[in-house]
Amino acid sequence: AGSEAPRKIVIEVEPGPISTVRAVDLRFAEPMNSDAAAERQRQRVLRRWSLKPEAAFTQSEWDGAKNGGLRILQRNRYPTARIADSQATVLADENRVDLKVEYDAGQPYRFGALELKGNERYDAEGIRNIARIPTGADYSEDELLDAQQRLANSGYYDSAFLTLDTENSDPQYATVIAQLRE
């Protein structure tokens, strides 16, 4: 409070050896776990899991591995997939880490009708033909982005943005909403 200098605190840290992954336990909640049609996606998540046993464990690699698996699920059939549970158990005395992730894919989605918003001057059926949303097919982020690109490249719109309505639609016939600006 007076003329004394502020106190100085020095902390020295000696990092120990880098911890490595001992085990990885990836799980999928029902109905995905027993869905034969989802087998390819489950296997893709397992094959592409980036934080394998014996790899150095870092928080950024852990986050990247979990999110990478989630993105594989969200790109096809399961746009509402989420990480239901994740845990990294650090065995400090052994410098090892056990990893566990459970993915909840949610319901599989299929494309439904295309709903146009912002379309005023152009024939709605012609615009649907340009977009070519594969109604009835399993949801695919690539298919959605391709349709969006076709609309953007058509010359009819300044911008086109497509989304799947996962909140107000039946997953077996989910509405695709096209936000268009002429």
Side-chain angles (χ1 to χ4, degrees), residues 132-163:
R132 296 190 312 265
I133 294 293
T135 303
D138 286 337
Y139 167 79
S140 163
E141 185 178 273
D142 290 341
E143 289 281 349
L144 191 69
L145 293 174
D146 287 348
Q148 178 175 293
Q149 193 64 46
R150 282 191 293 275
L151 288 173
N153 290 342
S154 70
Y156 294 124
Y157 303 104
D158 288 334
S159 67
F161 183 70
L162 273 60
T163 56

Side-chain angles (χ1 to χ4, degrees), residues 81-150:
R82 65 183 184 86
I83 297 172
D85 186 36
S86 70
Q87 185 175 15
T89 303
V90 178
L91 308 165
D93 293 342
E94 300 175 33
N95 299 313
R96 306 285 272 170
V97 182
D98 289 338
L99 305 177
K100 181 182 97 172
V101 179
E102 182 174 358
Y103 293 104
D104 180 358
Q107 293 297 314
Y109 276 75
R110 293 181 169 277
F111 286 119
L114 177 63
E115 180 182 323
L116 304 176
K117 293 187 177 186
N119 184 48
E120 297 173 10
R121 295 186 287 177
Y122 305 109
D123 173 56
E125 195 57 36
I127 299 308
R128 286 185 179 89
N129 289 337
I130 292 170
R132 296 190 312 265
I133 294 293
T135 303
D138 286 337
Y139 167 79
S140 163
E141 185 178 273
D142 290 341
E143 289 281 349
L144 191 69
L145 293 174
D146 287 348
Q148 178 175 293
Q149 193 64 46
R150 282 191 293 275

